[in-house]
Amino acid sequence: MPTFVDQIKIEVHAGHGGNGMVAFRREKYVPNGGPAGGDGGRGGSIILKVDEGLRTLMDFRYHRIFKAKNGQNGMSKQMTGAAAEDTVVAVPQGTTVRDLDTGQIIGDLVEQGQELVVAKGGRGGRGNMRFATPRNPAPEIAENGEPGEERNLELELKMLADVGLIGFPSVGKSTLLSVVTGAKPKIAAYEFTTLVPNLGMVMLPDGRDFAMADMPGLINGASKGVGLGLQFLRHIERTRVLLHLVDLGNQDAELALEKFKDINKELASYDPELLKRPQIVVATKMDLPEASEHLAEFKTLLEADNTLPQSPRVFAISAVTHAGVQDLMQTTANLLEETPAFDSIAHDDMETVTYKASEQEDEPAFVISRDDDGTWVLSGAKLERLFVMTNLDHEDSQLRFARQLRHMGVDDALRKAGIQDGDLVRIEDFVFEFVQ
Ligand SMILES: Nc1nc2c(ncn2[C@@H]2O[C@H](COP(=O)(O)OP(=O)(O)OP(=O)(O)O)[C@@H](O)[C@H]2O)c(=O)[nH]1
Ligand SMILES: [Mg+2]
């Protein structure tokens, strides 16, 4: 069985904005029409969205790079380019999103339908009609579209088990989990082998899957904290179907029934809602000599018992011979499909936390360095963003860019650093001469 994937790395690339356009009105009898270049459209963002149909991050194993579409360029006649559609990526409920480059958690997707923008599409560049001023009524200036955000992310699924395995210690909960999932829980012949729940993914041949967890053994008084009880009843709360294991290989029917009822009592005194979870009774260790006899008797006792609200279904399995196991998994999957998720706010300690997207406020606007050949090099995210948004085909645009640099303090900083008239300055692969 494939192992359970709960952490995955993906790359997201939002679309860049469309470029603004330089164009002029052409009208009959109007010799020099005004500027009419439209703005570019917004680039598509990448949005993660909780999809209740997803239980795992398996889908991301083969699809790791997500790219949104670019905005359409602006057009003549003042026409704005169309905005690109956002790319919505479905994730399972409970996914935590971390920015791998900063290490920061940027969001927890815990609610149905919840959305998180993980890469913002670039805004469209402005067309030349936006730059008209009384002094320059016909500017040849247009902005290029803003680049879309790009991020390396890690998705982590805090798995919520769909199915919980409950029962007294040593009934075979961890053994069953190890047989039907890739999980490797500790298994031993002494009680309280399992100290914290283990989780595994059950994958059926028909393509259905669900998450299943074993629980530490429950004993009388569990709801009051006896044994390992209380803290794990919380985990049971989040499951939708319970498999209640009873050992009929090593104990007779009467004892098994008594223990079965004891555990239900503990569930009820912790939270009566827990008894509303559909329960399947699983008779374990059927490979042992007296098991069949005990099973027949157990069923009779169960049916005759009028203290139970309804007679639960009983499945008999052996984790050793695997008898009955596949059948049990199919029935469990069917039951899951019919069972809605339960609200379990009462004892729930998990809260919705919204993290602030990482801000780039503290980064310097620009950085000055020098190449080996003495060329001055300007870099820095803000300056580079401005640069890619400049349409260098038009002289007006170039002049505007020069003004923007002056505003940012680039000229002063270069002078302070000792730049001389005629020295070369480079931004990415664009080189120009410095003139006072
Ligand atoms: N013969 C037989 N033995 C089994 C079967 N399933 C489990 N066992 C044995 O029962 C013992 C207890 O199994 P575990 O799976 O550790 O039981 P558990 O319910 O997880 O126990 P705790 O974690 O202590 O609550 C081990 O020695 C297993 O090998 C089975 O189907 N047949
Ligand atoms: Mg165990």
Side-chain angles (χ1 to χ4, degrees):
M1 288 231 184
T3 47
F4 170 64
V5 179
D6 62 349
Q7 241 182 13
I8 215 120
K9 293 181 173 65
I10 63 167
E11 244 178 79
V12 289
H13 303 261
H16 61 68
N19 298 334
M21 176 156 202
V22 172
F24 295 93
R25 269 200 304 271
R26 268 183 242 193
E27 287 161 22
K28 273 184 189 168
Y29 317 118
V30 184
N32 278 315
D39 300 343
R42 194 181 57 79
S45 298
I46 308 257
I47 298 173
L48 303 186
K49 183 175 183 188
V50 175
D51 178 338
E52 53 187 300
L54 286 180
R55 311 297 310 176
T56 69
L57 294 172
M58 297 280 179
D59 292 354
F60 290 97
R61 266 195 305 185
Y62 303 107
H63 189 181
R64 297 198 160 178
I65 300 174
F66 296 88
K67 288 188 172 146
K69 294 210 175 75
N70 299 326
Q72 200 184 16
N73 291 340
M75 291 160 284
S76 56
K77 297 182 183 166
Q78 310 190 357
M79 279 194 293
T80 302
E85 260 178 43
D86 294 332
T87 296
V88 179
V89 180
V91 296
Q93 190 176 16
T95 302
T96 299
V97 188
R98 183 186 299 278
D99 184 321
L100 274 175
D101 301 319
T102 66
Q104 270 183 324
I105 291 178
I106 54 178
D108 267 336
L109 289 152
V110 293
E111 278 155 45
Q112 293 299 359
Q114 191 181 338
E115 294 186 355
L116 179 71
V117 179
V118 288
K120 233 168 59 194
R123 75 169 168 82
R126 286 170 291 180
N128 72 331
M129 51 185 262
R130 302 292 206 96
F131 294 97
T133 58
R135 258 182 45 209
N136 187 0
E140 289 200 22
I141 299 178
E143 267 175 343
N144 289 334
E146 184 186 26
E149 283 184 330
E150 298 186 349
R151 270 186 165 148
N152 294 306
L153 301 176
E154 181 177 72
L155 304 185
E156 191 182 275
L157 185 59
K158 285 193 207 122
M159 281 295 304
L160 304 180
D162 303 300
V163 176
L165 301 176
I166 56 170
F168 264 74
S170 282
V171 294
K173 302 177 294 295
S174 302
T175 308
L176 175 57
L177 185 75
S178 74
V179 166
V180 295
T181 74
K184 307 219 175 339
K186 192 172 169 197
I187 293 165
Y190 55 86
E191 304 198 332
F192 296 117
T193 305
T194 302
L195 302 175
V196 291
N198 301 287
L199 198 101
M201 284 305 305
V202 177
M203 270 165 285
L204 297 179
D206 61 15
R208 292 185 292 175
D209 60 18
F210 57 87
M212 185 159 108
D214 67 356
M215 298 283 157
L218 294 170
I219 52 175
N220 293 342
S223 61
K224 291 174 193 69
V226 181
L228 296 166
L230 200 60
Q231 103 190 77
F232 299 108
L233 285 169
R234 229 180 250 141
H235 290 268
I236 297 174
E237 241 179 352
R238 297 197 187 133
T239 61
R240 286 188 293 153
V241 169
L242 296 176
L243 302 188
H244 191 154
L245 275 58
V246 282
D247 180 351
L248 285 175
N250 294 317
Q251 59 188 355
D252 64 33
E254 267 168 52
L255 186 58
L257 183 65
E258 198 181 308
K259 287 183 171 177
F260 170 75
K261 284 160 73 171
D262 282 347
I263 286 194
N264 279 343
K265 251 182 253 159
E266 293 300 332
L267 295 185
S269 60
Y270 178 73
D271 182 352
E273 288 291 308
L274 287 182
L275 285 192
K276 293 187 187 154
R277 302 275 186 289
Q279 248 189 50
I280 298 177
V281 181
V282 180
T284 62
K285 311 193 187 180
M286 292 312 292
D287 54 286
L288 293 180
E290 288 167 34
S292 307
E293 211 176 298
H294 292 160
L295 175 67
E297 206 183 321
F298 180 80
K299 281 184 172 166
T300 315
L301 289 175
L302 198 63
E303 261 163 47
D305 196 304
N306 48 21
T307 64
L308 295 169
Q310 81 234 33
S311 278
R313 278 188 267 189
V314 181
F315 274 76
I317 62 158
S318 164
V320 172
T321 67
H322 292 195
V325 170
Q326 275 314 313
D327 197 15
L328 173 64
M329 291 304 111
Q330 292 284 351
T331 306
T332 305
N334 296 345
L335 199 52
L336 268 177
E337 275 172 6
E338 300 162 10
T339 311
F342 295 89
D343 282 334
S344 57
I345 306 148
H347 309 266
D348 212 327
D349 52 358
M350 204 160 96
E351 344 175 331
T352 308
V353 191
T354 315
Y355 300 89
K356 242 179 78 182
S358 67
E359 284 293 336
Q360 295 156 335
E361 270 163 14
D362 44 355
E363 79 188 19
F366 61 90
V367 176
I368 296 175
S369 58
R370 294 194 83 167
D371 269 351
D372 295 342
D373 65 0
T375 304
W376 299 83
V377 180
L378 298 175
S379 58
K382 255 179 212 167
L383 180 134
E384 283 167 27
R385 195 158 51 236
L386 205 59
F387 173 70
V388 294
M389 290 181 71
T390 300
N391 180 340
L392 293 165
D393 298 342
H394 301 283
E395 202 174 324
D396 280 355
S397 278
Q398 290 181 20
L399 289 173
R400 174 168 176 265
F401 182 56
R403 268 200 311 280
Q404 285 171 320
L405 292 190
R406 208 159 42 239
H407 271 301
M408 279 168 83
V410 173
D411 292 34
D412 287 346
L414 280 171
R415 252 182 247 122
K416 228 184 243 164
I419 197 168
Q420 302 294 318
D421 242 17
D423 280 2
L424 294 181
V425 182
R426 182 169 70 77
I427 302 173
E428 290 184 352
D429 53 0
F430 177 69
V431 181
F432 57 94
E433 223 173 81
F434 185 79
V435 278
Q436 293 279 16

